[in-house]
Amino acid sequence: MLPEKSGQSANGQWRKQEYILETESNFPKKICFMAWGDKIDQFNIRQGDNVEVAIDLESREYNGRWYTDVKAWKVSKGDTSTENAQSYGIQDQYEPSNPNDSNLSDDTIPF
């Protein structure tokens, strides 16, 4: 869990909470997702909880660069089913490329 953020916008008060989810697979991946407003209290996620998260992906452009938000709209706690994990098995076959092989310029974020 990352620290909760809050502020004031033209639409009023806002707050968001970001979480780092680590998948259970042959090649575990870490995914940063966020919850906004009342969803933070509704989900009541604690560090170490085993959760299944339904998300929306949204990308937007700012100053010629693209940024993607991963927003949770549903969180289920408890054991995630083995059957559900197996249905996504093809994702586990991905072999990450060697990070030293990339052609990154100095101003590119390396992820």
Side-chain angles (χ1 to χ4, degrees):
M1 292 177 55
L2 300 177
E4 184 177 312
K5 297 177 184 177
S6 62
Q8 182 75 30
S9 72
N11 296 329
Q13 284 287 116
W14 62 267
R15 65 186 189 123
K16 77 173 182 177
Q17 177 74 54
E18 294 176 306
Y19 307 87
I20 307 300
L21 174 73
E22 186 168 356
T23 63
E24 295 178 351
S25 66
N26 292 339
F27 300 100
K29 296 163 187 67
K30 292 182 180 176
I31 302 162
C32 179
F33 71 94
M34 66 183 78
W36 286 87
D38 295 339
K39 295 278 189 197
I40 299 168
D41 300 322
Q42 179 186 344
F43 296 157
N44 193 30
I45 300 171
R46 301 286 174 237
Q47 187 162 341
D49 283 352
N50 192 7
V51 295
E52 185 173 310
V53 182
I55 59 166
D56 280 330
L57 298 174
E58 182 179 2
S59 297
R60 64 191 181 290
E61 184 268 339
Y62 178 74
N63 287 339
R65 297 193 70 154
W66 284 88
Y67 299 88
T68 301
D69 286 337
V70 181
K71 296 179 184 177
W73 58 270
K74 179 181 174 186
V75 172
S76 303
K77 290 188 179 182
D79 291 334
T80 56
S81 72
T82 305
E83 178 182 311
N84 196 18
Q86 289 174 351
S87 69
Y88 296 104
I90 194 161
Q91 293 176 353
D92 297 340
Q93 296 173 12
Y94 169 76
E95 302 229 5
S97 62
N98 183 345
N100 297 327
D101 291 343
S102 61
N103 294 325
L104 298 176
S105 65
D106 290 337
D107 64 343
T108 302
I109 298 173
F111 53 84

